[in-house]
């Protein structure tokens, strides 16, 4: 019943995304597009955190790395199909980094808060490296003039075209990751998260499965980062820093960890609220975000996606 409800929610969300351009102007279409891109990034974290129960506190490292790699490839002259090569590189570089980190940490038995602390340090190191290597990364100011996305010889620019690309990409990724979670692979991951020793006793190679899940998560984050800089036209150290790593955790927690669709809802809600509140009083936003996070933890610890399900169960009990 829970899985069917999530499929219904995904179908409803797809319908909303389909009809939204008919009612929104260019500005609001751009705002939602950027929020959906960050939602794709949040989905990548939820795929690893929600499936395994292990929190990666430096996930912006993969998002920002994908963005910088995409920028460097597309700004290199003489390459055939630079956008396609850039997206492949934006996926491959974070995946390779996650494979190295996962090999030393996950195969080394690092779990729980220790894994979280190490990945947090990874994000800090990555941001300092980007700022220091100014000859390549542009330092504090980043790199401007990133070429727009071009696929099949056609340049994809403008609010409507980029919105369609982002929305379709997000839906495809959500369906693919959901299918993977519902497969035998996902069930084994849940078993590993519940009791890794027991899963290993049943013959499952827990470190290998955790590492591969971490690699897939990093690859999706890198793809989101590459797509973001191609549409925004700029890449900066903020995309790889600790602040974004913290924000994505908040998006996942508010939306609902382990739901895949919830982090998208959380990212859209938080981004929209941030713009509205910051336009009135910029200093008020961090306070409101912190209070909202605390309230969500107490009222709906499983995120806003669980509120509808709890309400439905309560109505059933009352009707019974």
């Amino acid at each position: 019943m829970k899985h069917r409800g999530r499929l219904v929610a995904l179908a409803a969300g797809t319908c909303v995304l389909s009809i939204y351009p008919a009612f929104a102007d260019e500005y609001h279409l751009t705002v939602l597009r950027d929020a959906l891109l960050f939602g794709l990034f949040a989905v990548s974290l939820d795929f690893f955190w929600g499936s395994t129960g292990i929190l990666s506190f430096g996930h912006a490292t993969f998002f920002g790395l994908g963005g910088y790699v995409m920028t460097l490839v597309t700004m290199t002259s003489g390459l055939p199909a630079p956008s396609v090569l850039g997206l492949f590189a934006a996926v491959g570089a974070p995946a390779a980094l996650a494979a190295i980190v996962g090999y030393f940490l996950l195969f080394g038995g690092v779990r729980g808060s220790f894994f979280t602390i190490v990945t947090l340090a990874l994000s800090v190191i990555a941001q300092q490296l980007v700022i220091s290597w100014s000859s390549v990364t542009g330092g504090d100011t980043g790199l401007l003039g990133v070429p727009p996305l071009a696929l099949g010889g056609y340049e994809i620019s403008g609010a409507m075209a980029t919105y369609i690309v982002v929305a379709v990409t997000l839906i495809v990724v959500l369906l693919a990751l959901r299918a993977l979670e519902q497969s035998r692979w996902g069930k084994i991951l849940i078993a590993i998260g519940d009791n890794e020793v027991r899963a290993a006793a049943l013959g499952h190679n827990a470190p290998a499965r955790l590492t591969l899940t971490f690699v897939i998560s990093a690859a999706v984050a890198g793809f989101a980062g590459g797509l973001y800089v191609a549409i925004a036209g700029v890449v900066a150290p903020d995309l790889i820093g600790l602040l974004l790593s913290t924000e994505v955790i908040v998006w996942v927690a508010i939306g609902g960890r382990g739901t895949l669709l919830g982090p998208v809802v959380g990212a859209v809600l938080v981004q929209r609220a941030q713009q509205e509140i910051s336009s009135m009083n910029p200093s008020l936003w961090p306070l409101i975000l912190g209070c909202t996070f605390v309230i969500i933890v107490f009222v709906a610890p499983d995120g806003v996606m669980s509120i509808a399900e709890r309400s439905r169960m309560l109505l059933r009990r009352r009707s019974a």
Side-chain angles (χ1 to χ4, degrees):
M1 184 65 69
K2 181 187 296 186
H3 300 312
R4 188 174 67 180
R6 291 177 182 175
L7 282 177
V8 172
L10 179 58
T14 303
C15 293
V16 171
L17 294 180
S18 300
I19 65 176
Y20 184 77
F23 301 95
D25 56 18
E26 184 174 343
Y27 169 75
H28 288 93
L29 201 62
T30 303
V31 170
L32 181 58
R33 178 202 65 195
D34 294 342
L36 292 178
L37 272 172
F38 285 119
L40 179 60
F41 173 40
V43 167
S44 70
L45 174 62
D46 186 45
F47 178 67
F48 180 72
W49 186 19
S51 300
T52 65
I54 303 174
L55 173 61
S56 170
F57 211 130
H59 222 61
T61 303
F62 307 116
F63 182 84
L65 178 59
Y68 273 100
V69 170
M70 178 71 176
T71 301
L72 295 176
V73 171
T74 54
M75 293 183 72
T76 302
S77 59
L79 293 177
S83 292
V84 176
L85 290 178
L87 287 176
F88 274 108
V91 171
L97 178 60
I100 296 172
V101 174
Y103 175 78
F104 285 103
L105 296 183
L106 297 174
F107 276 89
V110 178
R111 302 287 189 274
S113 58
F114 296 102
F115 185 90
T116 302
I117 293 172
V118 173
T119 52
L120 184 151
L122 179 66
S123 182
V124 175
I125 294 172
Q127 186 176 28
Q128 292 301 317
L129 181 62
V130 164
I131 294 174
S132 301
W133 201 6
S134 57
S135 60
V136 176
T137 62
D140 290 318
T141 57
L143 296 172
L144 303 176
V146 181
L149 197 64
L151 301 175
Y154 295 95
E155 183 178 296
I156 301 175
S157 59
M160 179 63 73
T162 52
Y163 172 83
I164 293 174
V165 169
V166 171
V168 171
T169 300
L170 176 61
I171 294 171
V172 171
V173 172
L174 280 172
L175 291 174
L177 294 182
R178 176 176 172 77
L180 192 58
E181 278 194 342
Q182 296 301 310
S183 66
R184 183 172 180 269
W185 176 274
K187 291 179 174 59
I188 294 175
L189 279 179
I190 294 176
I192 292 173
D194 291 339
N195 194 322
E196 185 174 338
V197 176
R198 182 184 301 171
L202 293 174
H204 302 298
N205 190 338
R209 290 181 181 272
L210 291 175
T211 301
L212 184 55
T213 305
F214 190 48
V215 169
I216 296 174
S217 174
V220 175
F223 181 78
L227 199 59
Y228 178 83
V229 300
I231 292 175
V234 60
V235 63
D238 293 342
L239 299 181
I240 204 170
L242 186 59
L243 179 59
L244 185 58
S245 291
T246 305
E247 288 179 339
V248 70
I249 293 174
V250 174
W251 300 337
V252 175
I254 290 178
R257 181 171 69 92
T259 62
L260 288 183
L261 183 60
V264 180
V265 176
V268 172
L269 291 177
V270 173
Q271 289 287 310
R272 185 60 182 168
Q274 180 178 4
Q275 289 181 347
E276 293 294 334
I277 296 172
S278 297
S279 63
M280 296 182 293
N281 189 342
S283 61
L284 193 61
W285 166 245
L287 176 61
I288 293 180
L289 178 62
C291 293
T292 303
F293 183 72
V294 173
I295 293 173
I296 288 293
V297 168
F298 282 100
V299 176
D302 295 328
V304 296
M305 290 294 290
S306 66
I307 296 177
E309 186 175 346
R310 290 186 177 187
S311 302
R312 187 169 59 250
M313 292 176 62
L314 183 59
L315 289 175
R316 286 180 181 176
R317 290 177 182 175
R318 288 183 175 179
S319 62

